[in-house]
Amino acid sequence: TMGNWLVNHWFSAAVLAAWLGINIFLFTYYFLFFDQDEQYFYTRAILGSALAWARASAKCLNFNSMLILLPVCRNLLSFLRGTCSCCRRTLRKQLDHNLTFHKLVAYALALLTAVHTIAHLFNLERYNQSQQATDGSLPAVLSKIHLQGSKWLNPIHSNQTTVEYVAFTTIPGLTGVIITLALILMVTSSTEFIRRNYFELFWYTHHLFLVYFAGLIIHGIAGLVRGQTEQSMAEVHPYHCSEYLTQRDQNCTHSCCKDPEFGSIPAESWKWVLAPIILYVFERILRVWRAQQNVVVTKVVMHPARVLELQMQKKGFCMEVGQYIFVNCPAISPLEWHPFTLTSAPEEDFFSIHIRAAGDWTERLIDTFQLEKPRIEVDGPFGTASEDVFQYEVAMLVGAGIGVTPFASILKSIWYKFQQADQTLKTKKIYFYWLCRDTGAFAWFNDLLASLEQKMAESGKADFLTYRLFLTGWDTSIANNVALHFDTATDTVTGLKHKTIFGRPMWNMEFAAVAAAHPRSVVGVFLCGPEALAKSLQKCCHQHSSLDPRKVKFYFNKENF
């Protein structure tokens, strides 16, 4: 429900409200300022309300350009997470929505760029029309003033100039075109589909942010949009003198005879973005320094279906469950860093990742490791620990497809804590659900489940973990094979004791079974998977929770890995 969301995400809601509020305030304040301020009376005579649209969107563009780099300063976020370790975990967890905020700001930049560009296209057209007009109107007269000096109002000084010429030869025009192209490329190449399938394209295109910021800083330097100077305002105020401009005779003697003079609006984008750029430079220096620290690859395991497991050690490396690292292999590409969820438990003396062949870089890494052991650089770990799992007597863990990876770390860690009779572990029972189109790609996870199954049986705790595997995509050959071997002790698809179920889970039945088995427990439901599944599970948590506080309660937690 909305109420529950606000309780769990009040910090995110507050940040969102503040961000929206500041954007609305900046836009409204500067729109009204440029639409009413007397200094821009003559500018408005030529441009009309397009002036206010262009300037108000420019202010909001500066504000959002200031914010866009902050959510991707990973080490800054880790530092903040560390300093607020005494805060409630829900607050720390909100910092993991950094990329969501980054995308939100990026979409705002795209929208504001469209507004700013369209407004300036109108402005250029109006400047051009005013320059070519010979009707003696106020815009026509203003366009002919001070053409030789530096006190002009209309940047188009000749009748031969076209809008396209201004757009591609002036500093604001050219940088505007370049910034807009860079932004379009960055936004379009960061869609989910491209990130998943062509990560390299996303990675390299995103480095156009260097072009974007360089262009942004230079963009306003020429000051093509101008206002009347303070001195000129004192001498010939537009409210008194504007009417005389269009009807002056040669031997003019009164106080409004002098032509108004104009000056440019100082460039200020650099003031907005300087601090975040400095922070980001420090962030990159820190990443380079951390990457130089030696990583020892202690074990390389090649699992079926081209999944590579790397077990590594690094001095001072300290992880928690549910965290991730960035990995670079200089032999393949010195610039590319790829994120991977950690699959080891903090209790182990190494940290591990499982790399599935899913793109050029991963393919080349797997091929390289089959021939030799190249040097690996690691940055991290990042992300908030998923320790909530340990706070529930009963935990229902749901992993869908690649979303099963974080549960490797969680299941191992729970088992270690359980064996060591760890006091922080309240968990007495785990239900694990794995939904998968084809188990082949995750055969390594079968191995992990099999070893856990064996360890639990040996220590007489076989009932601690109940897992159910759902194969959501299969063909007739698999179905026939299952029918033939239905009576065997282990499953024909996974080789595990628990049988694979074909099709999707009937969540109402699963929740009813858990509620019946644990009538007085608080059950934590954890998902790492798609949004549609999150909605189904949330609904079930609501339906199957008893209104009686002494009876079963289901709490839904969606992890952001």
Side-chain angles (χ1 to χ4, degrees), residues 27-43:
F27 194 92
T28 309
Y29 178 84
Y30 283 102
F31 188 93
L32 293 173
F33 176 78
F34 282 98
D35 203 45
Q36 294 170 4
D37 192 77
E38 52 199 27
Q39 197 180 347
Y40 299 99
F41 179 88
Y42 289 125
T43 320

Side-chain angles (χ1 to χ4, degrees), residues 87 157 416:
C87 318
H157 293 178
Y416 282 119

Side-chain angles (χ1 to χ4, degrees), residues 251-268:
N251 43 13
C252 173
T253 53
H254 55 77
S255 59
C256 286
C257 291
K258 194 177 176 189
D259 282 340
E261 295 174 353
F262 303 94
S264 58
I265 304 165
E268 52 178 40

Side-chain angles (χ1 to χ4, degrees), residues 300-360:
V300 179
V301 184
M302 196 66 217
H303 292 282
R306 281 178 72 72
V307 173
L308 176 75
E309 180 184 354
L310 297 181
Q311 294 184 7
M312 297 165 278
Q313 287 176 329
K314 180 181 176 181
K315 193 179 174 187
F317 188 91
C318 182
M319 69 158 287
E320 301 290 345
V321 292
Q323 289 190 307
Y324 62 95
I325 57 171
F326 276 81
V327 176
N328 168 265
C329 180
I332 295 172
S333 167
L335 297 174
E336 281 182 49
W337 288 83
H338 291 252
F340 293 96
T341 302
L342 289 161
T343 52
S344 49
E347 291 81 0
E348 290 170 313
D349 61 352
F350 61 87
F351 61 96
S352 69
I353 53 173
H354 285 71
I355 300 166
R356 192 170 57 117
D360 297 347

Side-chain angles (χ1 to χ4, degrees), residues 222-407:
L224 291 194
V225 177
R226 300 184 141 208
Q228 196 174 354
T229 61
E230 295 280 337
Q231 190 185 344
S232 176
M233 294 271 290
E235 292 171 355
V236 280
H237 198 283
Y239 290 176
H240 314 307
C241 301
S242 61
E243 61 202 58
Y244 293 104
L245 270 177
T246 51
Q247 47 194 358
R248 259 188 322 195
D249 46 26
Q250 291 301 310
N251 43 13
C252 173
T253 53
H254 55 77
S255 59
C256 286
C257 291
K258 194 177 176 189
D259 282 340
E261 295 174 353
F262 303 94
S264 58
I265 304 165
E268 52 178 40
S269 292
W270 66 272
K271 294 177 189 171
W272 289 83
V273 298
L274 186 65
I277 287 173
I278 291 169
L279 258 177
Y280 191 75
V281 167
F282 275 115
E283 165 82 16
R284 292 304 281 242
I285 291 167
L286 187 57
R287 283 188 206 176
V288 169
W289 176 72
R290 280 169 62 144
Q292 299 309 311
Q293 294 168 321
N294 191 36
V295 176
V296 181
V297 179
T298 52
K299 193 176 179 185
V300 179
V301 184
M302 196 66 217
H303 292 282
R306 281 178 72 72
V307 173
L308 176 75
E309 180 184 354
L310 297 181
Q311 294 184 7
M312 297 165 278
Q313 287 176 329
K314 180 181 176 181
K315 193 179 174 187
F317 188 91
C318 182
M319 69 158 287
E320 301 290 345
V321 292
Q323 289 190 307
Y324 62 95
I325 57 171
F326 276 81
V327 176
N328 168 265
C329 180
I332 295 172
S333 167
L335 297 174
E336 281 182 49
W337 288 83
H338 291 252
F340 293 96
T341 302
L342 289 161
T343 52
S344 49
E347 291 81 0
E348 290 170 313
D349 61 352
F350 61 87
F351 61 96
S352 69
I353 53 173
H354 285 71
I355 300 166
R356 192 170 57 117
D360 297 347
W361 189 87
T362 47
E363 289 277 6
R364 277 153 60 201
L365 185 76
I366 291 166
D367 291 341
T368 308
F369 265 100
Q370 285 176 319
L371 301 169
E372 55 168 330
K373 240 191 221 180
R375 188 167 78 86
I376 287 284
E377 293 176 355
V378 167
D379 190 19
F382 300 107
T384 302
S386 306
E387 287 169 339
D388 280 1
V389 183
F390 310 138
Q391 305 304 313
Y392 293 93
E393 289 171 42
V394 181
M396 290 172 75
L397 313 179
V398 184
I402 190 76
V404 78
T405 313
F407 290 121

